[in-house]
Amino acid sequence: MRFYKVPTYQYECQNEACGNRFEQVTTIAARRDECRKACKKCRKRKIDLVPAAPSIGDPLKLGVTKLPNSWTDKLKEMKGKHKGSTIKTERTLSK
Ligand SMILES: [Zn+2]
């Protein structure tokens, strides 16, 4: 059984006034490069990698036609979690 992982990483701007979140498809080796870049929103260099599980690619699109039920269920669960930004987006307004 194989997992088809699309190397998508999530980043978040650590500038509290900004809080920009975005995903970037990159390689494991280059995943930290994004952190050295300036935020596209606030232009500050405060991008940090969000430690989240990488998104799972759609196995059907990748040519896999049959999957064990246990795996498709797991996949649905994971996709559900990663759809949109289900990771806490609310920000506490701390002074
Ligand atoms: Zn920012």
Side-chain angles (χ1 to χ4, degrees), residues 13-15 18-20 39-44 46-47:
C13 180
Q14 299 303 298
N15 175 12
C18 175
N20 186 24
C39 174
K40 287 184 177 73
K41 218 168 156 187
C42 68
R43 303 282 166 196
K44 291 193 196 307
K46 288 200 163 197
I47 302 297

Side-chain angles (χ1 to χ4, degrees), residues 41-85:
K41 218 168 156 187
C42 68
R43 303 282 166 196
K44 291 193 196 307
R45 292 196 179 200
K46 288 200 163 197
I47 302 297
D48 204 1
L49 189 62
V50 179
S55 306
I56 307 295
D58 187 341
L60 296 176
K61 282 180 190 161
L62 294 166
V64 181
T65 48
K66 205 165 191 292
L67 291 166
N69 283 337
S70 59
W71 194 52
T72 43
D73 286 347
K74 188 81 191 159
L75 198 70
K76 274 179 206 162
E77 189 190 313
M78 291 192 81
K79 283 191 95 164
K81 277 178 189 166
H82 285 279
K83 194 158 262 179
S85 53

Side-chain angles (χ1 to χ4, degrees), residues 12-44:
E12 187 181 55
C13 180
Q14 299 303 298
N15 175 12
E16 280 193 33
C18 175
N20 186 24
R21 257 178 188 263
F22 60 96
E23 287 187 355
Q24 192 74 42
V25 177
T26 184
T27 61
I28 291 169
R31 73 194 192 282
R32 285 258 159 216
D33 288 3
E34 209 62 33
C35 303
R36 285 190 278 273
K37 294 178 190 172
C39 174
K40 287 184 177 73
K41 218 168 156 187
C42 68
R43 303 282 166 196
K44 291 193 196 307

